[in-house]
């Protein structure tokens, strides 16, 4: 085959031209991006990201601050990613932290060392003799607390000092300590706790001022780190880059960051851009992080930063900030009041481009007076929508630029070339929006461009060798090339090609064929060009002829056809759908519904339905399990059997008209011999199949509902993970991140069962805010081990067998608040909940649209719920309901 023009140059030219067109479709090319193209040599391919998504907040798999109330707003969601709040490395980093200690260096301070003198057993100099409260506190502590928390309160069963530092010790102690072994409920009231606190503060040298950066200290006495946005990046600790509009993610591989924030400043976002972070209406403080010494070029960048419309940084220039190279520069905390559900931060270039590496958001928290304050209510994603919003006219959120994922790529090859997927293509791992594989956050890297080119060459070469499998060409001639351009171009671009596009492709084919004197070479190069085109790799919606109404554009017929195929088949439209688009038969919701029903009856829909539920349930593929190495090799067969059971059971349930509630009560399954052994099934199958996965009635085998099956249980293999799954993916609750510095290493496991250990986490002040919301739900699954096998006893940490208690409780879930006994009762409660139903529909919305909804989608979310319930409530009805929303058939322009 002819050696290609170096792939980077050709693809980048195609990408750049296409994105310029697309940006015009978004109504404007950002001014700073125009400037950046001339200044930034790394930006050739980065315009793709300028029309990216502003989504509702996503959840993270971590835990919340424990002793604070998150002031839940049910229409919003939160992210809490923790970093240290008490850093004192001011010699290397300019950081203003949430809680500032007024004394850090004892040797250089001119005042007396009164506050730094360790005062134990009342052996103190006369001038710092403990007052009465401290003396009484010592006596109380030694009689009630020392056995569990060591001499200074920083060890044993739990470290008490963090709750003293964040001022919640008295409330937590008064509420939780009556359960301790040396306590009686009447032994210690709030006065008692205050005395113990005074004693612990003195002996641990905590009698120093704690800076609370809000004026109203009587009503509010602490703040919590609410969100940390890792601009331009993503990792396991900080919240990945999200909620932005415009700009480009950027990273320099040889940058060597320093300091405790070094992971946060590895990347940055550049250009003319803004962040719109969904948060509950409240008072916040915001810090902005920049990387100093990041640039490897002489470009001067000066810019402004506006927060909630107010200028907080004017003509800011990082290179002139008072901080060493390769360290983070962190601004002071800016007070902000949010009243519209979004924290808006604008980065506006004055010279060059604006840039940012991180955004830290702190939230003012109320005084912790009782347990309901100390254990925060959980924010819930906007899953109900708002029917009243429909009176405001058609609306939809900005969707960004979506690059097809690996599943869509492989399915397209199947449907275009009638061939098996090309696993050797070697694409990078897909990105995620919520639970689902969606590529919107970052532009293609050079490695991804090379991978796409190499895959395209392999696919094209194989396709031309097997031309008769997918194209009816009597002869390999120019007429056949024309047919490839017309028919395959329509399929790959998901729309008819323009006349100019056809002429350019034909000219390319003729040039290569002439040079090589070979039809195959010209046709292969023709296919390669289409397979690496952004028109194929991206789901472009940029029809400039459609009218704009209040920043909202109705999709044209081919764009709706493309959305339908991408959603229901994870592929391209078929001939029937293309014909419907051509004849304007996708103009009404009824016409769209008719096509959706037809498409769901096609076998191609099965893989999509399986893909949705696998991603929603968090079930990995077997090859990923093997590569991960978490399980022993002897577990592979039962693990695979459990995964197959879940997938096949759900498909049977869906295609037999089952409703969402039936997922929690289904009593049949598909088992091979390994599955029968896993579930202890000795019955005869009710239906047999050649591959050995036969259908069984599982009534009486303790496998009622999909959450008792091996595929789910092995993917969430303890009570914490299983409880967290129910909270986040079945109820759409958001569990924020753990406070900084929390460790379970000091917790004693000796002689405890797993339930007893997790109960200790629930009562531990450092951990209660998270584990009290997860483990009481997860306890219902404790009769199933990590592979999913039923067990009657569980091994304690000292190796002895203990009886299992599966009593659990839904807490802070409104209508669902109640206790239950075991997984079956728990699933019955879930099946009855409106919140569970709404969350399931919400998950389909994200899967279909490739983004999370925000306030512009309130009507569409409500439309979906109303349609599915009115239609009967089957899972098919839920899927079709998504296609009946304004959000599915419209897009918002970027300029808004």
């Amino acid at each position: 085959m002819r050696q290609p023009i170096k792939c980077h140059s050709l693809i980048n030219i195609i990408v750049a031209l296409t994105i310029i067109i697309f940006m015009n479709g978004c109504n404007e090319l950002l001014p700073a991006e125009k400037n950046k193209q001339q200044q930034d040599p790394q930006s050739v391919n980065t315009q793709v990201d300028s029309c990216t998504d502003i989504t509702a907040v996503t959840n993270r798999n971590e835990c919340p601050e424990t002793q604070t109330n998150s002031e839940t707003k049910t229409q919003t969601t939160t992210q809490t990613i923790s970093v240290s709040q008490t850093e004192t490395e001011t010699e290397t980093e300019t950081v203003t932290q949430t809680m500032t200690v007024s004394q850090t260096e004892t040797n250089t301070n001119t005042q007396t060392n009164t506050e730094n003198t360790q005062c134990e057993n009342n052996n103190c100099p006369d001038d710092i003799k403990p007052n009465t409260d401290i003396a009484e506190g010592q006596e109380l502590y030694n009689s009630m607390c020392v056995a569990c928390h060591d001499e200074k309160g920083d060890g044993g069963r739990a470290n008490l000092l963090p709750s003293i530092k964040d001022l919640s010790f008295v409330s937590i102690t008064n509420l939780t300590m009556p359960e301790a072994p040396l306590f009686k409920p009447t032994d210690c009231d709030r006065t008692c706790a205050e005395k113990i606190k005074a004693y612990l503060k003195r002996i641990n040298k905590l009698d120093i001022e704690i800076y609370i950066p809000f004026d109203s200290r009587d009503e509010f006495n602490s703040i919590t780190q609410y969100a940390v946005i890792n601009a331009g990046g993503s990792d396991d600790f900080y919240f990945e880059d999200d909620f932005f509009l415009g700009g480009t993610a950027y990273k320099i591989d040889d940058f060597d960051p320093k300091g405790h924030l070094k992971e946060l400043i590895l990347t940055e976002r550049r250009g003319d851009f803004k962040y719109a972070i969904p948060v509950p209406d409240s008072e916040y403080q915001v810090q902005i992080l920049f990387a100093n010494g990041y640039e490897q070029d002489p470009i001067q960048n000066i810019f402004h930063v506006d927060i909630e419309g107010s200028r907080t940084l004017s003509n800011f220039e990082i290179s002139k900030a008072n901080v060493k190279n390769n360290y983070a520069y962190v601004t002071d905390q800016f007070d902000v009041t949010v009243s519209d559900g979004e924290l808006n931060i604008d980065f506006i270039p004055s010279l060059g481009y604006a840039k940012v590496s991180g955004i830290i958001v702190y939230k003012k928290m109320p005084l912790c007076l009782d347990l309901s304050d100390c254990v925060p209510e959980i924010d819930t994603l906007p899953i109900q929508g708002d029917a009243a919003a429909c009176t405001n006219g058609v609306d939809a959120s900005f969707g960004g630029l979506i690059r097809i994922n690996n599943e869509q790529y492989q399915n397209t090859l199947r449907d275009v070339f009638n061939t098996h997927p090309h696993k050797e293509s070697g694409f990078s791992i897909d990105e995620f929006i919520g639970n689902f594989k969606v590529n919107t956050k970052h532009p293609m890297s050079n490695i991804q461009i090379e991978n796409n080119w190499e895959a395209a060459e392999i696919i094209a070469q194989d396709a031309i060798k097997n031309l008769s499998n997918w194209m009816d060409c009597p002869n390999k001639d120019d007429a056949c090339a024309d047919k490839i351009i017309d028919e395959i171009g329509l399929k790959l671009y998901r729309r008819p090609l323009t006349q100019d596009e056809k002429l350019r492709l034909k000219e390319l084919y003729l040039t290569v064929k002439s040079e090589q004197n070979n039809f195959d070479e010209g046709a292969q190069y023709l296919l390669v060009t289409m397979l690496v085109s952004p028109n194929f790799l991206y789901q472009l919606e940029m029809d400039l002829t459609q009218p704009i109404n209040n920043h909202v554009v109705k999709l044209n017929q081919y764009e709706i056809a493309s959305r339908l195929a991408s959603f229901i088949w994870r592929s391209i439209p078929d001939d029937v759908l293309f014909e419907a688009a051509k004849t304007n038969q996708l103009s009404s919701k009824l016409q769209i519904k008719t096509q959706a029903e037809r498409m769901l009856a096609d076998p191609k829909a099965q893989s999509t339905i399986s893909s949705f539920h696998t991603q929603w349930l968090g079930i990995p593929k077997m090859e990923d399990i093997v590569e991960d190495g978490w399980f022993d090799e002897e577990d592979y067969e039962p693990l695979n059997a459990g995964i197959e059971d879940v997938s096949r059971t759900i498909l049977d349930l869906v295609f037999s008209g089952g409703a969402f509630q039936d997922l929690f009560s289904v009593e049949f399954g598909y088992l091979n011999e390994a599955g029968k052994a896993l579930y202890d099934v000795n019955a005869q199958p009710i239906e047999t199949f050649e591959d050995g996965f036969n259908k069984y009635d599982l009534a009486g085998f303790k496998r009622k509902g999909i959450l008792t099956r091996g595929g789910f249980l092995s993917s969430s293999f303890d009570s914490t993970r299983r409880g967290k799954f129910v909270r986040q993916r079945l109820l759409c609750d958001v569990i924020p991140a753990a406070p900084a510095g929390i460790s379970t290493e000091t917790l004693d496991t000796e002689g405890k069962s797993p339930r007893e250990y997790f109960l200790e986490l629930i009562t531990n002040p450092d951990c209660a805010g998270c584990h009290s919301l997860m483990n009481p739900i997860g306890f219902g699954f404790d009769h199933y081990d990590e592979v999913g096998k039923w067990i009657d006893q569980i091994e304690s940490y000292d190796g002895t067998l203990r009886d299992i208690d599966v009593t659990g409780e839904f807490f802070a879930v409104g209508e669902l608040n109640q206790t239950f006994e075991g997984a079956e009762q728990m699933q019955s409660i879930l099946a009855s909940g409106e919140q569970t139903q709404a969350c399931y529909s919400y998950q389909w919305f994200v899967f279909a649209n490739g983004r999370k909804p925000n306030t512009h989608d309130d009507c569409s979310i409500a439309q979906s719920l109303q349609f599915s319930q009115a239609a009967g409530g089957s899972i098919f009805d839920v899927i079709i309901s998504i296609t009946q929303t304004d959000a599915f058939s419209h897009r918002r322009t970027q300029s808004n």
Side-chain angles (χ1 to χ4, degrees):
M1 181 176 175
R2 178 179 183 266
Q3 282 295 95
I5 306 168
K6 188 55 183 172
C7 59
H8 286 204
S9 59
L10 179 59
I11 298 180
N12 285 338
I13 290 170
I14 296 171
V15 170
L17 291 174
T18 303
I19 298 311
I20 289 173
I21 296 172
F22 177 73
M23 294 300 294
N24 289 330
C26 292
N27 282 356
E28 61 179 341
L29 182 63
L30 299 177
E33 293 296 337
K34 296 176 183 176
N35 188 29
K36 176 183 170 186
Q37 288 176 352
Q38 300 173 355
Q39 296 186 16
D40 187 353
Q42 298 282 339
S43 67
V44 180
N45 186 39
T46 55
Q47 288 292 344
V48 172
D49 210 34
S50 293
C51 273
T52 198
D53 189 17
I54 296 179
T55 63
V57 131
T58 64
N59 51 4
R60 289 277 287 180
N61 299 327
E62 298 174 272
C63 308
E65 191 82 30
T66 54
Q67 294 94 10
T68 53
N69 178 1
S70 64
E71 301 181 341
T72 302
K73 296 289 184 181
T74 59
Q75 294 299 316
T76 59
T77 174
T78 65
Q79 287 295 340
T80 307
I81 294 81
S82 299
V83 296
S84 174
Q85 294 180 328
T86 55
E87 293 291 340
T88 59
E89 297 175 296
T90 55
E91 60 184 10
T92 58
E93 302 192 27
T94 306
V95 181
T96 302
Q97 296 290 357
T98 304
M99 301 174 66
T100 305
V101 178
S102 63
Q103 281 182 270
T104 56
E105 297 292 339
T106 61
N107 294 331
T108 60
N109 200 317
T110 58
Q111 68 184 44
T112 66
N113 62 353
T114 299
E115 303 295 353
N116 299 301
T117 303
Q118 186 166 325
C119 189
E120 297 182 8
N121 300 320
N122 290 332
N123 295 321
C124 306
D126 290 338
D127 60 338
I128 58 167
K129 195 72 173 177
N131 61 30
T132 303
D133 282 351
I134 293 175
E136 292 180 4
Q138 180 182 17
E139 183 177 351
L140 290 167
Y141 182 83
N142 287 338
S143 64
M144 298 180 180
C145 311
V146 70
C148 294
H149 302 287
D150 291 349
E151 292 184 0
K152 296 183 181 180
D154 59 354
R157 294 181 60 187
N159 184 355
L160 302 177
L161 303 189
S163 64
I164 292 177
K165 293 176 182 178
D166 67 18
L167 310 180
S168 62
F169 173 83
V170 172
S171 299
I172 291 292
T173 301
N174 187 235
L175 288 162
T176 63
M177 289 305 289
E179 303 299 322
L182 300 182
F183 256 65
K184 298 186 180 70
T186 58
D187 278 352
C188 196
D189 57 15
R190 294 185 67 86
T191 302
C192 162
E194 288 281 7
K195 293 176 180 179
I196 294 175
K197 172 184 172 182
Y199 168 67
L200 290 177
K201 286 179 65 177
R202 176 55 60 90
I203 67 170
N204 287 284
K205 299 180 287 186
L206 298 179
D207 275 341
I208 51 182
E209 179 184 356
I210 296 179
Y211 169 64
I212 306 299
F214 293 98
D215 294 332
S216 182
R217 298 195 186 193
D218 292 336
E219 182 181 359
F220 294 93
N221 69 351
S222 67
I223 65 173
T224 184
Q225 214 158 60
Y226 195 79
V228 181
I229 308 297
N230 184 9
S234 175
D235 56 51
D236 294 333
F237 190 69
Y238 299 111
F239 186 23
E240 62 186 349
D241 199 15
D242 208 341
F243 323 125
F244 54 82
L245 180 63
T248 300
Y250 198 87
K251 179 179 180 180
I252 297 179
D253 293 333
D254 58 358
F255 176 55
D256 184 23
K258 307 292 185 182
H260 76 282
L261 295 173
K262 63 183 180 180
E263 297 298 327
L264 192 57
I265 60 174
L266 277 169
T267 58
E268 62 185 22
R269 179 156 294 279
R270 293 181 173 184
D272 184 348
F273 56 95
K274 68 176 291 184
Y275 281 82
I277 306 170
V279 296
D281 293 349
S282 186
E283 295 182 50
Y284 297 88
Q285 287 199 331
V286 177
Q287 287 180 298
I288 312 294
L289 283 75
F290 305 99
N292 193 45
Y294 194 89
E295 261 111 341
Q296 304 298 315
D297 56 58
I299 298 173
Q300 185 180 22
N301 297 293
I302 302 174
F303 54 92
H304 314 299
V305 179
D306 293 353
I307 303 180
E308 286 295 295
S310 297
R311 183 133 302 175
T312 54
L313 293 176
S314 182
N315 291 317
F316 180 72
E317 188 173 358
I318 300 170
S319 61
K320 294 184 178 180
N322 185 22
V323 64
K324 293 181 180 180
N325 278 347
N326 293 19
Y327 282 87
Y329 175 82
V330 187
T331 66
D332 291 337
Q333 293 152 324
F334 302 113
D335 293 324
V336 177
T337 299
V338 174
S339 58
D340 61 355
E342 281 188 346
L343 172 60
N344 294 287
I345 307 175
D346 295 87
F347 294 83
I348 307 162
S350 175
L351 178 65
Y353 48 79
K355 54 191 293 187
V356 65
S357 286
I359 300 169
I360 304 178
V361 181
Y362 303 97
K363 183 178 179 182
K364 183 192 295 187
M365 306 304 290
L367 187 67
C368 185
L369 297 175
D370 55 42
L371 189 58
S372 63
D373 289 331
C374 301
V375 180
E377 295 180 26
I378 293 299
D379 285 342
T380 301
L381 297 171
I383 59 177
Q384 302 284 354
D386 183 4
C390 299
T391 62
N392 299 327
V394 174
D395 204 353
S397 294
F398 179 70
L401 188 60
I402 300 177
R403 177 166 48 86
I404 62 175
N405 62 30
N406 288 324
E407 179 184 16
Q408 292 167 316
Y409 189 99
Q410 304 293 349
N411 288 347
T412 299
L413 298 184
R414 174 200 66 197
D415 295 339
V416 172
F417 299 115
N418 193 26
T419 186
H420 296 294
H422 285 68
K423 297 296 185 183
E424 69 271 24
S425 56
F427 296 140
S428 59
I429 297 173
D430 289 317
E431 299 167 351
F432 279 82
I433 296 292
N435 308 315
F436 305 110
K437 296 176 180 178
V438 182
N439 299 314
T440 61
K441 295 185 181 300
H442 298 97
M444 292 176 64
S445 66
N446 286 339
I447 293 177
Q448 288 173 312
I449 292 173
E450 292 225 20
N451 286 342
N452 272 282
W453 187 280
E454 292 169 2
E457 288 181 325
I458 295 170
I459 294 161
Q461 191 173 33
D462 181 66
I464 296 303
K465 285 181 181 178
N466 299 281
L467 183 64
S468 61
N469 288 348
W470 52 275
M471 179 59 62
D472 182 15
C473 276
N475 300 299
K476 291 185 174 182
D477 54 17
D478 293 351
C480 183
D482 289 335
K483 199 169 184 180
I484 291 173
I485 292 171
D486 286 340
E487 296 183 13
I488 302 305
L490 171 68
K491 293 180 178 181
L492 292 179
Y493 289 12
R494 298 172 286 273
R495 59 168 176 79
L497 275 63
T498 66
Q499 193 61 33
D500 285 344
E501 287 172 327
K502 291 180 181 180
L503 289 174
R504 288 197 298 269
L505 289 170
K506 182 64 175 291
E507 183 179 358
L508 177 63
Y509 154 77
L510 291 172
T511 300
V512 177
K513 189 192 84 163
S514 175
E515 289 180 359
Q516 303 295 317
N517 195 25
N518 187 308
F519 168 86
D520 285 2
E521 292 286 346
Q524 285 177 38
Y525 211 76
L526 180 62
L527 289 180
V528 168
T529 302
M530 289 190 285
L531 287 168
V532 300
S533 169
N535 290 288
F536 167 57
L537 295 174
Y538 290 85
Q539 295 176 321
L540 300 179
E541 296 168 347
M542 55 185 197
D543 186 350
L544 305 183
T545 66
Q546 297 291 93
I548 300 174
N549 184 14
N550 195 27
H551 303 286
V552 176
V553 180
K554 183 175 176 61
L555 301 181
N556 70 29
Q557 297 286 284
Y558 286 99
E559 289 169 345
I560 291 175
S562 176
R563 281 203 182 186
L564 278 169
S566 176
F567 172 30
I568 298 177
W569 288 338
R570 307 316 258 177
S571 185
I572 58 171
D574 63 357
D575 292 341
V576 175
L577 196 54
F578 275 130
E579 183 63 24
K582 181 180 179 181
T583 56
N584 293 317
Q585 296 300 305
L586 297 174
S587 300
S588 70
K589 290 185 178 180
L590 178 59
Q591 290 172 329
I592 294 173
K593 174 176 175 287
T594 299
Q595 287 295 331
E597 290 173 338
R598 177 187 71 84
M599 295 169 71
L600 283 170
D602 190 289
K604 288 188 290 189
Q606 294 183 14
S607 63
T608 298
I609 291 171
S610 180
S611 177
F612 166 83
H613 287 95
T614 296
Q615 294 179 60
W616 172 55
L617 293 169
I619 299 175
K621 296 179 180 179
M622 270 309 300
E623 53 261 38
D624 295 328
I625 292 175
V626 172
E627 182 177 350
D628 185 59
W630 182 267
F631 290 96
D632 294 332
E633 188 172 344
E634 63 189 28
D635 294 326
Y636 291 167
E637 286 192 8
L639 286 169
N640 183 65
I643 292 171
E644 287 292 328
D645 172 43
V646 169
S647 177
R648 296 175 189 229
T649 299
I650 289 176
L651 284 177
D652 188 332
L653 186 65
V654 172
F655 282 90
S656 60
F660 160 74
Q661 291 84 352
D662 296 328
L663 291 170
F664 302 113
S665 60
V666 59
E667 290 195 282
F668 63 79
Y670 287 81
L671 310 177
N672 61 3
E673 290 302 315
K676 289 173 64 179
L678 178 65
Y679 292 175
D680 292 322
V681 171
N682 53 14
Q684 293 300 310
I686 54 179
E687 192 173 358
T688 60
F689 298 90
E690 290 183 1
D691 65 358
F693 281 92
N694 300 321
K695 186 175 181 179
Y696 288 84
D697 182 355
L698 298 180
F701 288 102
K702 303 168 184 173
R703 299 291 169 173
K704 184 176 182 179
I706 212 70
L707 300 186
T708 66
R709 306 302 176 85
F712 163 71
L713 294 165
S714 61
S715 64
S716 301
F717 48 81
D718 61 27
S719 70
T720 297
R721 289 173 175 84
R722 291 167 179 173
K724 182 168 65 176
F725 169 87
V726 173
R727 278 281 179 188
Q728 293 181 326
R729 302 201 184 190
L730 298 184
L731 299 173
C732 287
D733 286 342
V734 178
I735 302 178
I742 297 302
S743 172
T744 59
E745 293 181 0
T746 59
L747 296 180
D748 181 20
T749 60
E750 185 176 354
K752 293 185 176 70
S753 69
R755 182 185 178 100
E756 290 169 337
Y757 170 76
F758 287 120
L759 280 173
E760 183 170 338
L761 292 180
I762 291 173
T763 58
N764 187 308
D766 290 338
C767 311
C770 179
H771 286 274
S772 63
L773 297 164
M774 299 187 301
N775 291 104
I777 298 174
F779 288 150
F781 296 105
D782 279 357
H783 267 307
Y784 303 96
D785 69 10
E786 66 274 9
V787 179
K789 191 172 183 62
W790 177 276
I791 53 176
D792 291 310
Q793 291 184 307
I794 195 166
E795 186 174 342
S796 65
Y797 290 100
D798 62 4
T800 60
L801 293 177
R802 307 281 287 275
D803 291 335
I804 296 174
D805 180 0
V806 291
T807 303
E809 181 179 7
F810 283 106
F811 174 72
V813 201
E815 58 171 345
L816 299 183
N817 283 352
Q818 57 187 292
T819 60
F820 57 84
E821 187 78 18
E824 289 192 12
Q825 283 189 16
M826 181 197 67
Q827 289 184 99
S828 296
I829 296 171
L830 288 170
S832 67
E834 292 183 5
Q835 182 174 338
T836 323
Q837 173 71 59
C839 181
Y840 183 70
S841 180
Y842 175 95
Q843 303 285 7
W844 274 108
F845 182 99
V846 177
F847 184 79
N849 292 292
R851 62 175 176 81
K852 291 195 171 184
N854 64 23
T855 53
H856 291 297
D857 299 304
D858 281 347
C859 174
S860 290
I861 294 294
Q863 286 175 331
S864 174
L865 285 172
Q866 291 171 353
F867 178 92
S868 62
Q869 291 167 1
S874 73
I875 293 175
F876 271 166
D877 292 329
V878 174
I879 297 171
I880 293 170
S881 75
I882 303 299
T883 71
Q884 301 299 287
T885 63
D886 293 337
F888 189 80
S889 55
H890 294 76
R891 64 178 174 88
R892 175 167 288 271
T893 62
Q894 186 194 13
S895 61
N896 195 44

